Amino acid sequence: MYKQPSHRDPKNFKRPNRAPATNSEPVTIGQRFPLTIKRLGINGEGIGYYKRKITFIPGALPEEVVIAEVTEVHPKFLSAKIHKIRTASPSRVTPVDEFAGVVGGFDLEHLQYAEQLRFKTDVIAQALEKFKPASYTHYDLRPTIGMANPTAYRNKAQFPIRLVDGRLAVGMYKLGSHDLVDLPTVSTQHPTTMKVIRTIRALIEELNIPVYDETTNAGIIKTIIARIAEATGEVQVTLVTNSKKLPNKGPLLAGIMAKLPMVTSISQNINSGKSALIWGSETFLLAGKPFITETINGKQFQLSPRAFLQLNPAQTGRLYQEAITALALTKADKLVDAYSGVGTLGISLAHKAGEVRGMDTIAESIDDANANARLNGVKNAQYFVGAAEDLIPQWVYDGWRPDALIVDPPRTGLDEALRDTILAVKPEKFVYISCNPSTLARDLVDLTDVYTVDYIQSIDMFPQTARVEAIVKFTRR
């Protein structure tokens, strides 16, 4: 089992029970030394100890002996890169993508897939060890559910476009930099999204449409986004621009529609200036339909450009089936679907419940959620704009108390106010879907005051990365 730290901060790692070294020579950038890798970190990086100081080495695997080259020196830890591998792990494989290790999103592509799954289970175990929620050593921590084919699973490509050395580059940034790498292929992306991205890149180049320049804050097109609905084959394109102006818009749209007949929706999103965010607040349709339609477990969902949907459609269906099993709803149950997004989870559960109420703070998502309920003929689900910690107490005050709750928060985990609300309302049935083991374990410290953890079932939504999704089934004490 991998021994997985919960946080890059060295204070979260167990150190050998020894006195610190004294009078040692200072470590310098560029210095090289042999190092045995002990375990993987939460971001999939190898971890070893040099002169009793924790050393992080991306791309290194447990039990490997490497020649490490120091890249950063900090008071309590070192960062390094692999100069040479002396003894390779038997679990090491050759990455499919030549840029793995250069750009982000391929943290574990050099590790056998079965070992990736074991690592992801252990990431959760180490997060529990760090935060120590009640009875955590007795949790039923189930093996991570993987994919038969852990490639070509991402249904959405979201790539910046820039001029690099006189050529248009569309891809991802080098790790730790803002240098864009042009990516003609990406093995984890659905092939259709890559075809769409590359064709639009060629059209932009052919039509000489100016792309964004971060140095001057000039130019037009910043990001190309392509999302495919696996069930229908429809593709939705969004061009994120620096202004409403879009030179050669007519020829560009004509070219997209002629060369890419699978594209049924084209929108423009305005994100002016040097924002670190990809999306701006204003989106409008340029051509085609305002949405594409995806099917999950027999339910249809219309997706507008900014609508959130899990990036792995095959595993999403499995995730929702696991949630249905864990909740064990009856027609007598009133269910709250917190962090509902466009309603995919709550609508998938509605046939098992008496009534579903969901909420999200983004009004656009709630419009989509209610439209999706109507699309599927679901009459017992309704969605509201607002935060769960505000709406649930109001509903209880009005006499509507939930029997069941499902939460699927962002990586930051549950808001403290929502944790307090859950502990006060105490729904009998409760399932937590998490995309971040550290914030999950933190939240369990409070939640286990009222609930016991029946089991934690992890599922691999992002093969070749260090990320993992987990479903927690609770029983009220």
Side-chain angles (χ1 to χ4, degrees), residues 102-122:
V102 177
V103 302
F106 304 89
D107 324 290
L108 297 179
E109 201 175 45
H110 58 295
L111 180 63
Q112 285 179 356
Y113 188 55
E115 295 301 317
Q116 291 185 32
L117 298 179
R118 278 188 274 274
F119 160 74
K120 293 184 182 196
T121 305
D122 199 65

Side-chain angles (χ1 to χ4, degrees), residues 67-85:
I67 301 299
E69 182 176 326
V70 177
T71 55
E72 295 178 21
V73 177
H74 301 271
K76 294 184 178 180
F77 69 95
L78 304 174
S79 295
K81 64 181 180 181
I82 297 173
H83 174 70
K84 181 180 179 181
I85 299 175

Side-chain angles (χ1 to χ4, degrees), residues 134 419-420 422-428 430 444-453 474-477:
R419 295 202 300 271
D420 292 341
I422 294 168
L423 295 174
V425 176
K426 301 181 182 67
E428 181 182 353
F430 179 24
L444 289 177
V445 173
D446 288 342
L447 297 174
T448 49
D449 286 345
V450 169
Y451 294 93
T452 58
V453 173
F474 295 97
T475 295
R476 193 173 64 187
R477 294 181 185 276

Side-chain angles (χ1 to χ4, degrees), residues 179-257:
D179 298 330
L180 191 66
V181 178
D182 189 54
L183 301 178
T185 63
V186 179
S187 69
T188 56
Q189 284 286 348
H190 192 292
T192 300
T193 64
M194 291 305 298
K195 179 180 179 180
V196 169
I197 290 283
R198 301 305 296 181
T199 301
I200 293 176
R201 172 207 170 278
L203 285 168
I204 291 169
E205 188 171 51
E206 178 186 323
L207 295 168
N208 200 28
I209 300 173
V211 300
Y212 184 64
D213 184 322
E214 290 167 311
T215 304
T216 61
N217 193 31
I220 303 297
I221 301 180
K222 287 183 167 183
T223 306
I224 306 171
I225 302 169
R227 172 159 61 181
I228 185 169
E230 184 72 27
T232 61
E234 296 176 317
V235 175
Q236 182 179 70
V237 168
T238 306
L239 303 173
V240 180
T241 59
N242 191 35
S243 70
K244 287 187 177 180
K245 184 180 177 182
L246 183 55
N248 277 328
K249 178 170 65 174
L252 176 62
L253 296 178
I256 292 173
M257 289 185 282

Side-chain angles (χ1 to χ4, degrees), residues 287-472:
K289 301 185 297 184
F291 54 80
I292 57 174
T293 303
E294 182 62 284
T295 302
I296 302 172
N297 293 342
K299 303 291 186 183
Q300 291 186 314
F301 298 98
Q302 293 179 347
L303 305 172
S304 58
R306 295 195 65 187
F308 171 78
L309 182 71
Q310 294 278 3
L311 295 176
N312 187 331
Q315 292 291 77
T316 299
R318 181 64 187 271
L319 177 75
Y320 289 2
Q321 288 294 343
E322 292 290 333
I324 289 170
T325 300
L327 270 175
L329 295 167
T330 72
K331 289 294 185 179
D333 289 326
K334 297 189 288 289
L335 170 68
V336 165
D337 172 20
Y339 304 96
S340 68
V342 299
T344 52
L345 187 52
I347 290 169
S348 297
L349 292 161
H351 68 290
K352 297 284 188 179
E355 183 182 355
V356 177
R357 291 189 182 185
M359 70 282 289
D360 199 286
T361 56
I362 300 174
E364 209 172 46
S365 294
I366 294 304
D367 290 341
D368 286 348
N370 284 314
N372 284 326
R374 292 191 296 272
L375 177 67
N376 288 281
V378 174
K379 298 180 179 180
N380 64 332
Q382 190 174 2
Y383 290 88
F384 303 83
V385 178
E389 56 269 25
D390 297 326
L391 291 176
I392 294 173
Q394 183 61 53
W395 292 342
V396 171
Y397 178 80
D398 292 338
W400 192 92
R401 179 177 289 271
D403 307 291
L405 170 68
I406 190 162
V407 297
D408 187 4
R411 290 186 62 79
T412 50
L414 298 178
D415 185 276
E416 184 178 358
L418 180 54
R419 295 202 300 271
D420 292 341
T421 297
I422 294 168
L423 295 174
V425 176
K426 301 181 182 67
E428 181 182 353
K429 299 176 181 180
F430 179 24
V431 165
Y432 185 148
I433 299 175
S434 168
C435 59
N436 185 339
S438 292
T439 54
L440 169 63
R442 177 206 68 196
D443 291 345
L444 289 177
V445 173
D446 288 342
L447 297 174
T448 49
D449 286 345
V450 169
Y451 294 93
T452 58
V453 173
D454 294 352
Y455 62 79
I456 301 178
Q457 175 64 70
S458 48
I459 183 166
D460 190 15
M461 301 292 288
F462 301 99
Q464 319 310 331
T465 79
R467 292 179 59 184
V468 64
E469 204 95 359
I471 301 166
V472 185

